[in-house]
Amino acid sequence: MNRVILFNKPFGVLSQFTDKGTQGSARPTLSGFIDEPGFYPAGRLDKDSEGLLVLTDNGALQARIAHPKYKRPKTYLVQVEGTPDAAALDALRKGVTLKDGKTAPATITQIDPPADLWERDPPVRFRKSVPDAWLEITIREGRNRQVRRMTAHVGLPTLRLIRSQIGDWRLNQMRPGTWRWASETGA
């Protein structure tokens, strides 16, 4: 049986076990949170994003989780700067054309601010003169910084991005920096 770990990646943590960046930088990595040999992340979250990261000790399962050809849905809670209008939400639902091509249609819902959300460290920078809103966005692709680029394309820059679900695996009530075991087929 393949082993699966669900991890709530904190803001600022790299989605890898070692920092291959510039010499002398001491950026936090997965090794500061997970001490299980042989596990690798199935997909990535950039260091500025938070939330669900799935890790496994099986390369074939890792590919089935992460590779876009399997079209596994990924759901994000996205705080955006500005007030979404119907045209912006409709454009995201239909797919927007980015530098690397048109995105597949996404499922978009404007939501209330999540009630049980943890504080981010450092806090999100707010501008008192500009409103913000929360969206729930589900995509079936995995392009580099895709959700951030999609929201920026429609004039709604992302302030905070939290992946809450991959396929049937859900973040649920996990706090940042914690992990738990999960089944291969779902959480």
Side-chain angles (χ1 to χ4, degrees):
M1 179 159 177
N2 301 316
R3 296 183 306 158
V4 173
I5 289 174
L6 303 183
F7 176 59
N8 186 347
K9 187 191 90 58
F11 178 86
V13 174
L14 300 178
S15 293
Q16 56 200 38
F17 282 93
T18 58
D19 183 1
K20 298 175 183 152
T22 58
Q23 190 173 7
S25 69
R27 298 180 296 184
T29 66
L30 299 177
S31 63
F33 301 91
I34 300 169
D35 187 21
E36 291 290 330
F39 278 83
Y40 300 94
R44 304 181 78 76
L45 273 176
D46 63 57
K47 72 177 185 65
D48 297 329
S49 299
E50 309 164 71
L52 185 61
L53 190 64
V54 177
L55 299 93
T56 182
D57 60 352
N58 179 282
L61 177 59
Q62 181 184 19
R64 285 195 313 271
I65 296 167
H67 200 282
K69 78 177 183 180
Y70 295 103
K71 300 192 184 315
R72 189 176 291 257
K74 298 167 198 77
T75 300
Y76 299 85
L77 303 176
V78 186
Q79 185 180 22
V80 295
E81 186 176 82
T83 303
D85 61 18
L89 297 176
D90 194 46
L92 293 170
R93 287 182 184 112
K94 291 179 179 175
V96 294
T97 303
L98 305 174
K99 288 182 181 178
D100 55 353
K102 187 171 182 176
T103 63
T107 303
I108 312 288
T109 306
Q110 188 166 349
I111 61 172
D112 291 330
D116 58 349
L117 195 58
W118 56 88
E119 293 293 321
R120 194 184 85 177
D121 184 23
V124 173
R125 179 183 56 86
F126 293 102
R127 295 191 300 172
K128 291 180 182 179
S129 61
V130 179
D132 64 272
W134 282 89
L135 303 173
E136 184 177 76
I137 300 177
T138 301
I139 60 172
R140 292 180 176 270
E141 299 175 285
R143 300 182 199 185
N144 187 38
R145 298 178 71 86
Q146 180 177 343
V147 171
R148 291 178 187 280
R149 293 187 298 136
M150 288 170 63
T151 62
H153 183 83
V154 297
L156 300 166
T158 294
L159 297 171
R160 190 171 182 191
L161 188 138
I162 303 159
R163 185 161 54 198
S164 61
Q165 186 172 347
I166 300 172
D168 291 332
W169 292 298
R170 295 177 184 270
L171 194 58
N172 293 333
Q173 300 300 315
M174 286 176 38
R175 304 313 289 171
T178 64
W179 64 271
R180 63 182 165 92
W181 296 105
S183 72
E184 179 181 339
T185 57

